[in-house]
Amino acid sequence: MLDFLTGSNFFYIPYEKPDRIFSEMSLIGETKLNILRELKNGPAHGYAIAEEIGASSGGIYTHLNELEEEGMIAVTEERESGRQQKYYELTENGELLLEALGED
């Protein structure tokens, strides 16, 4: 194995299996990817997304906020049954990311 020392970070690259390197790399976390996949079906609110992808309804909002800040999703608010509901939907950037990741 090749070892590299950079600053205070020590890491290694297993050069004998380069395909393993790429299979372990990720541009986006699995939960965020699942959210984007779910939003391909159309706008949804956070609780419905969490239920569909099997994530906690509390933790999903951290991911949703980050995806919004990254420009991958947009949020709209609508009044339903006297309550404000947030709906999340893919942006063009989110669609392009899914396409780039082979998630057509």
Side-chain angles (χ1 to χ4, degrees), residues 1-93:
M1 270 184 221
L2 296 177
D3 292 18
F4 296 92
L5 185 60
T6 59
S8 61
N9 297 323
F10 180 79
F11 63 95
Y12 66 91
I13 298 175
Y15 68 90
E16 68 274 4
K17 293 189 178 186
D19 57 323
R20 182 173 161 226
I21 296 169
F22 295 109
S23 68
E24 292 178 1
M25 290 175 60
S26 176
L27 296 175
I28 185 169
E30 192 66 28
T31 301
K32 287 183 181 178
L33 182 56
N34 287 336
I35 291 168
L36 295 177
R37 287 175 180 147
E38 179 60 28
L39 291 175
K40 277 180 62 173
N41 299 323
H45 57 82
Y47 183 79
I49 296 168
E51 262 194 3
E52 194 64 38
I53 67 170
S56 73
S57 57
I60 195 82
Y61 294 99
T62 301
H63 297 293
L64 290 168
N65 290 335
E66 289 172 359
L67 286 167
E68 181 186 11
E69 289 172 7
E70 294 161 356
M72 300 296 139
I73 63 174
V75 181
T76 56
E77 292 189 37
E78 296 178 14
R79 185 165 288 283
E80 262 184 37
S81 304
R83 295 180 41 191
Q84 280 296 105
Q85 291 283 331
K86 286 186 178 182
Y87 282 86
Y88 300 88
E89 62 184 316
L90 276 179
T91 62
E92 184 177 353
N93 286 341

